[in-house]
């Protein structure tokens, strides 16, 4: 992990001629060096989670970040304000499990109040939705992704190491009772040797409930570094299995979308496939990430990070903060290299990056 360049070189970035041109040229829109407009931020608010999903972390959990290392709500709000000025329009709150962070609805309300923010979304394992759905919606969260990898109690418990499927499904139903929360996405990580028997039950679930189910290919971001390409059950395999039972029709892809969505030919719902391994969607990627401890990651698979926490706590003003963000995003990776010779899995795990 390469440290940030800001603290050591006053005027480091901002002083360089190329950066003055970059700042002047795109003050209103954040661009990377490949000409992509960056408008979507995934913001992790904690690395903690009560689940122990096998594709994410070991049974004993991880060494959690200390509270002092986490960005405070005020630091997050300031950073979001500057990022929205630079063209970030959609912010997704992630974790670990974001609802583990105390008073998360208060943070959501602070962010939802930022002028220019278009959409505030949340990805959750659903465990605390029954408790928090009302407060989140009234705080301004408009989009919800709920992670559910199996609809069968034993298998859910086998995957998450927690026997709480009922509570998660009650949380989903609570969320669904709020019209403002729709469309609700239900995300299932697809793993070979586990998900095959979940495919049709999930298709039926999407047909019988107001949820859009999406299958996400297993990615090499697990804490055990045990991922192999053979563990990936591809979106195309799942699509074909569903189509054989419930015919599907493709929908046009929205630019920068991660999912390829299909509607059931008989009109009973939609289903999606997020295929970062078999069908990468990097070409029009518009996303960056900030971790709970304030590190800017320009790609999910970045091998370097930029320390924004040091900038926020180092006395920098908003223009200097902006210059650091622009400098880092200008070097955003063109794509991930999963499957390429020499692919290196990042040190930071999915639980500490956020979806
Ligand atoms: S792997 Fe990186 S470049 Fe590709 S879509 Fe994800 S964040 Fe964007």
């Amino acid at each position: 992990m390469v440290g940030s360049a800001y603290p050591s070189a006053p005027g480091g970035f901002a002083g360089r001629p190329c950066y003055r041109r970059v700042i002047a040229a795109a003050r209103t829109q954040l661009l990377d060096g490949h000409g992509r407009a960056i408008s979507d931020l995934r913001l992790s608010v904690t690395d903690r989670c009560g689940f122990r999903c096998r594709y994410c972390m070991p049974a004993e959990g991880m060494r959690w970040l200390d509270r002092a290392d986490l960005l405070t709500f005020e630091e997050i709000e300031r950073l979001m304000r500057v990022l929205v000025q630079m063209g970030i329009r959609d912010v997704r709150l992630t974790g670990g499990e974001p609802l583990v962070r105390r008073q998360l609805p208060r943070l959501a309300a602070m962010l939802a109040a930022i002028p220019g923010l278009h959409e505030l979304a949340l990805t959750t394992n659903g465990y605390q939705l029954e408790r928090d759905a009302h407060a989140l919606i009234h705080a301004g969260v408009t989009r919800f992704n709920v992670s559910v990898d199996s609809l069968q109690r034993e298998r859910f418990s086998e995957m998450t190491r927690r026997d709480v499927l009922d509570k998660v499904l009650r949380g989903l139903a609570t969320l669904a009772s709020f019209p403002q929360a729709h469309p609700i996405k239900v995300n299932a990580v697809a793993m070979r040797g586990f998900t095959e028997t979940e495919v049709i039950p999930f298709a039926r679930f999407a047909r019988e409930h107001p949820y859009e189910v999406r299958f996400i290919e297993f990615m090499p971001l697990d804490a055990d570094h045990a991922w192999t390409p053979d563990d990936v059950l591809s979106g195309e395999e799942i699509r074909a299995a569903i189509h054989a039972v419930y015919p599907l029709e493709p929908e046009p892809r929205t630019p920068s979308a991660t999912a390829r969505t299909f509607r059931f030919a008989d009109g009973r719902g939609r289903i999606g496939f997020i295929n970062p391994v078999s069908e990468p969607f990097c070409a029009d990627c518009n996303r960056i990430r900030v971790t709970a401890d304030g590190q800017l990651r320009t790609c999910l698979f970045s091998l370097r990070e930029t320390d924004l926490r040091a900038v926020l706590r180092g006395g920098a003003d908003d223009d200097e903060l902006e210059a650091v963000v622009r400098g880092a995003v200008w070097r955003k990776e063109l794509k991930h290299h999963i499957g390429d010779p020499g692919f290196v899995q990042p040190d930071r795990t999915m639980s500490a990056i956020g979806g």
Side-chain angles (χ1 to χ4, degrees):
M1 212 177 325
V2 181
S4 85
Y6 172 76
S8 58
F13 283 135
R16 290 191 201 148
C18 64
Y19 276 107
R20 261 198 298 280
R21 269 198 310 281
V22 169
I23 289 171
R27 187 166 281 283
T28 54
Q29 181 56 58
L30 185 59
L31 290 177
D32 70 9
H34 312 287
R36 295 174 295 194
I38 305 303
S39 59
D40 187 320
L41 174 82
R42 309 292 166 92
L43 172 68
S44 171
V45 295
T46 180
D47 60 335
R48 297 173 186 242
C49 180
F51 287 14
R52 296 289 179 272
C53 302
R54 292 176 187 278
Y55 53 78
C56 182
M57 67 169 91
E60 65 277 10
M62 311 280 285
R63 204 191 75 69
W64 308 124
L65 291 167
D66 295 335
R67 191 164 179 73
D69 295 335
L70 298 182
L71 292 186
T72 65
F73 285 8
E74 290 66 29
E75 288 169 335
I76 292 173
E77 187 195 26
R78 178 185 165 205
L79 176 58
M80 290 309 109
R81 211 171 274 291
V82 172
L83 290 175
V84 169
Q85 287 166 14
M86 298 158 68
I88 292 289
R89 287 288 164 269
D90 303 327
V91 171
R92 174 169 294 283
L93 301 173
T94 68
E97 166 50 39
L99 299 182
V100 165
R101 179 105 186 226
R102 273 199 297 269
Q103 297 190 27
L104 188 80
R106 184 167 71 82
L107 173 64
M110 291 163 72
L111 302 183
I114 295 175
L117 185 70
H118 171 245
E119 187 173 84
L120 185 59
L122 177 97
T123 296
T124 172
N125 62 22
Y127 184 73
Q128 294 295 10
L129 267 183
E130 216 174 350
R131 179 192 72 186
D132 294 342
H134 180 271
L136 290 165
I137 285 167
H138 289 279
V141 178
T142 53
R143 286 284 170 273
F144 293 83
N145 288 13
V146 183
S147 308
V148 181
D149 301 312
S150 171
L151 294 170
Q152 303 161 61
R153 181 178 171 187
E154 296 75 30
R155 294 170 56 75
F156 179 94
S157 174
E158 181 198 332
M159 178 58 83
T160 64
R161 301 185 179 107
R162 297 289 181 269
D163 184 9
V164 293
L165 177 60
D166 291 351
K167 184 171 168 66
V168 169
L169 293 177
R170 282 201 308 275
L172 254 178
T174 303
L175 185 63
S177 69
F178 295 94
Q180 314 93 304
H182 294 270
I184 298 169
K185 312 263 171 67
V186 171
N187 290 350
V189 172
M191 296 180 73
R192 191 174 299 286
F194 180 88
T195 307
E196 290 88 340
T197 55
E198 303 287 342
V199 168
I200 298 304
F202 267 121
R204 210 173 294 128
F205 190 67
R207 293 168 59 80
E208 295 166 3
H209 294 84
Y211 312 133
E212 180 185 318
V213 171
R214 289 116 51 95
F215 293 95
I216 306 179
E217 289 178 346
F218 178 32
M219 290 178 275
L221 288 166
D222 55 317
D224 303 330
H225 285 227
W227 179 95
T228 73
D230 299 337
D231 300 324
V232 176
L233 181 64
S234 76
E236 177 47 31
E237 291 172 86
I238 300 174
R239 186 205 64 74
I242 295 173
H243 185 66
V245 180
Y246 303 115
L248 296 171
E249 292 170 352
E251 296 192 324
R253 177 177 176 265
T254 317
S256 301
T258 57
R260 297 182 183 282
T261 57
F262 293 74
R263 61 180 172 276
F264 289 101
D266 62 4
R268 294 189 56 191
R270 300 166 78 224
I271 203 152
F273 305 94
I274 300 176
N275 307 332
V277 179
S278 64
E279 286 181 277
F281 33 81
C282 304
D284 56 6
C285 177
N286 66 340
R287 290 169 293 280
I288 55 174
R289 291 170 165 81
V290 172
T291 64
D293 55 347
Q295 308 304 304
L296 174 60
R297 296 180 60 82
T298 47
C299 170
L300 185 53
F301 294 93
S302 276
L303 298 178
R304 61 169 182 260
E305 297 184 337
T306 302
D307 188 350
L308 298 184
R309 185 185 60 199
V311 179
L312 289 163
R313 296 180 183 177
D317 64 23
D318 288 353
D319 285 348
E320 288 161 331
L321 176 59
E322 179 172 351
V324 170
V325 171
R326 285 195 192 283
V329 171
W330 191 257
R331 300 192 309 275
K332 174 176 166 67
E333 300 79 352
L334 177 60
K335 65 184 198 73
H336 68 61
H337 293 284
I338 303 170
D340 294 354
F343 167 73
V344 178
Q345 179 170 340
D347 290 341
R348 203 183 273 261
T349 62
M350 179 59 109
S351 65
I353 297 174

